């Protein structure tokens, strides 16, 4: 399949080749780059990925290009290190992912009849299971991801093989059930921390499925709420600074009264 070069800035990918040459030179001549390993680069890969997400959320084309470039640098560094050991290269990464995408999209590159995104998700799980019959469908999700994101992905994968509630109303019933179970643990004369933690975790997991049925990304929804809280809390701080009174010296009643005032003005997140 030929690539549409008109859609690429470099046309013949000369900038990609130049970039890889730059990375290769960094590994040979820069003291910092020379001493890096796959493991030492882990924090930078994670950080750059999060910075790219921030740029996407901000919808800034220039910032997205810059941050995605930083992510690409991490990939190039890993491929350069691997190339020095003879394990894999940037080119082999590109080849491997292209082949994988062709296999996983038979409706594009073969004759499969897939019309909707939901059908594609289900077919993707079937193909994964076929490629790795002895591997759990959940095995590919990194446990280092934030818990909310892990829960969301687990639920999506389970749903792709029809293990899910039929609708949002049924999930809501389960949310109520999980909340009641948490309340039971909280009412015990002697609270058991690990049991309360498990029940709270079950509640959060179920809420991610409710979000999915409502076509809401739970991670994004929570971040929007955090952004709203951050802005309102900032206004709260400002109001108390105007009063020349420390928030820590104020009663909850005083704090709530001002909080209810600042809530009346919409935030950017809303």
């Amino acid at each position: 399949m030929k690539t549409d070069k008109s859609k690429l800035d470099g046309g013949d990918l000369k900038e990609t080749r130049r970039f890889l040459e730059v990375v290769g030179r960094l590994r040979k001549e820069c003291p910092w780059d020379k001493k890096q390993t796959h493991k030492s680069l882990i924090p930078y890969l994670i950080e750059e990925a999060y910075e790219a997400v921030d740029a996407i959320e901000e919808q800034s084309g220039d910032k997205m290009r810059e941050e995605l470039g930083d992510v690409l640098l991490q990939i190039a560094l890993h491929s350069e290190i691997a190339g020095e050991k003879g394990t894999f290269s940037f080119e082999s990464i590109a080849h491997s992912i292209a082949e994988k995408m062709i296999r996983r999209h038979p409706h594009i590159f073969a004759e499969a009849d897939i019309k909707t995104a939901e059908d594609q998700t289900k077919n993707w799980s079937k193909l994964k299971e076929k490629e790795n019959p002895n591997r759990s469908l959940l095995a590919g999700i990194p446990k280092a991801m934030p818990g909310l994101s892990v829960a969301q992905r687990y639920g999506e994968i389970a749903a792709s093989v029809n293990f899910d509630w039929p609708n949002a109303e049924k999930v809501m019933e389960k949310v109520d059930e999980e909340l009641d179970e948490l309340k039971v643990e909280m009412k015990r004369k002697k609270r058991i921390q690990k049991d309360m933690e498990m029940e709270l975790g079950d509640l959060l997991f179920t809420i991610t499925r409710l979000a999915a049925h409502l076509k809401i990304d739970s991670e994004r929804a929570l971040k929007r709420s955090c952004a709203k809280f951050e802005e309102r809390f900032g206004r709260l701080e400002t109001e108390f600074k105007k009063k020349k009174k420390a928030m820590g010296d104020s009663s909850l009643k005083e704090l709530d009264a001002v909080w209810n005032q600042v809530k009346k003005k919409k935030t950017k997140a809303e």
Side-chain angles (χ1 to χ4, degrees), residues 41-96:
L41 288 171
I42 289 173
Y44 303 102
L45 179 60
I46 294 170
E47 182 181 339
E48 299 300 356
Y50 277 124
E51 288 183 2
V53 171
D54 283 346
I56 291 169
E57 293 285 3
E58 291 175 21
Q59 298 184 332
S60 168
D62 287 342
K63 194 167 183 181
M64 276 178 61
R65 182 182 65 242
E66 179 183 345
E67 298 301 344
L68 290 173
D70 289 342
V71 173
L72 183 59
L73 172 61
Q74 294 303 308
I75 296 168
L77 281 169
H78 280 287
S79 64
E80 189 68 26
I81 293 168
E84 292 163 8
K85 298 177 181 178
T87 49
F88 60 84
S89 65
F90 190 90
E91 191 71 5
S92 68
I93 293 173
H95 173 78
S96 177

Side-chain angles (χ1 to χ4, degrees), residues 7 16 27 44 86 105 121 123 131 185 204 223 230 246:
K7 294 181 181 179
T16 302
R27 278 290 294 173
Y44 303 102
H105 292 79
T121 300
N123 194 56
E131 289 173 11
E185 292 301 325
L204 291 171
K223 283 189 174 181
E230 180 186 18

Side-chain angles (χ1 to χ4, degrees), residues 32-204:
W32 188 89
D33 288 282
K34 282 168 69 175
K35 76 173 189 176
Q36 299 310 310
T37 65
H38 290 306
K39 283 191 176 181
S40 72
L41 288 171
I42 289 173
Y44 303 102
L45 179 60
I46 294 170
E47 182 181 339
E48 299 300 356
Y50 277 124
E51 288 183 2
V53 171
D54 283 346
I56 291 169
E57 293 285 3
E58 291 175 21
Q59 298 184 332
S60 168
D62 287 342
K63 194 167 183 181
M64 276 178 61
R65 182 182 65 242
E66 179 183 345
E67 298 301 344
L68 290 173
D70 289 342
V71 173
L72 183 59
L73 172 61
Q74 294 303 308
I75 296 168
L77 281 169
H78 280 287
S79 64
E80 189 68 26
I81 293 168
E84 292 163 8
K85 298 177 181 178
T87 49
F88 60 84
S89 65
F90 190 90
E91 191 71 5
S92 68
I93 293 173
H95 173 78
S96 177
I97 190 62
E99 290 297 311
K100 182 178 179 179
M101 290 302 100
I102 290 170
R103 289 195 310 273
R104 298 279 180 89
H105 292 79
H107 54 300
I108 304 297
F109 301 99
E111 303 299 323
D113 184 24
I114 296 175
K115 294 289 194 298
T116 68
E118 288 75 15
D119 289 342
Q120 166 59 8
T121 300
K122 289 182 178 181
N123 194 56
W124 183 281
S125 292
K126 288 178 183 176
L127 291 169
K128 277 183 69 176
E129 193 171 14
K130 187 176 179 181
E131 289 173 11
N132 300 286
N134 298 319
R135 185 186 186 192
S136 169
L137 288 172
L138 303 181
I141 305 303
K143 291 179 175 60
M145 281 171 56
L148 198 64
S149 297
V150 173
Q152 188 166 291
R153 288 293 292 124
Y154 278 2
E156 288 171 359
I157 293 169
S160 73
V161 291
N162 299 319
F163 188 65
D164 192 18
W165 289 274
N167 53 53
E169 287 70 28
K170 288 295 182 183
V171 189
M172 194 68 230
E173 289 176 12
K174 187 64 177 176
V175 169
D176 291 336
E177 179 186 322
E178 297 294 355
L179 182 58
D180 287 340
E181 289 178 7
L182 176 58
K183 288 177 180 178
V184 168
E185 292 301 325
M186 290 176 64
K187 288 177 182 177
R188 293 189 188 280
K189 287 185 178 179
K190 187 176 180 181
R191 290 178 176 177
I192 302 173
Q193 196 67 23
K194 66 181 180 62
D195 290 344
M196 287 193 298
E197 182 181 272
M198 182 60 73
E199 295 302 341
L200 179 61
D202 290 344
L203 175 61
L204 291 171

Side-chain angles (χ1 to χ4, degrees), residues 52-59 146 148-149 152 156 208 211-212 215-228 268-270:
V53 171
D54 283 346
I56 291 169
E57 293 285 3
E58 291 175 21
Q59 298 184 332
L148 198 64
S149 297
Q152 188 166 291
E156 288 171 359
T208 66
K215 309 298 182 187
I216 294 170
D217 182 286
S218 54
E219 186 76 20
R220 178 177 170 80
L222 181 57
K223 283 189 174 181
R224 284 190 66 191
S225 289
C226 286
K228 180 174 69 175
K268 294 176 183 176
E270 295 176 276

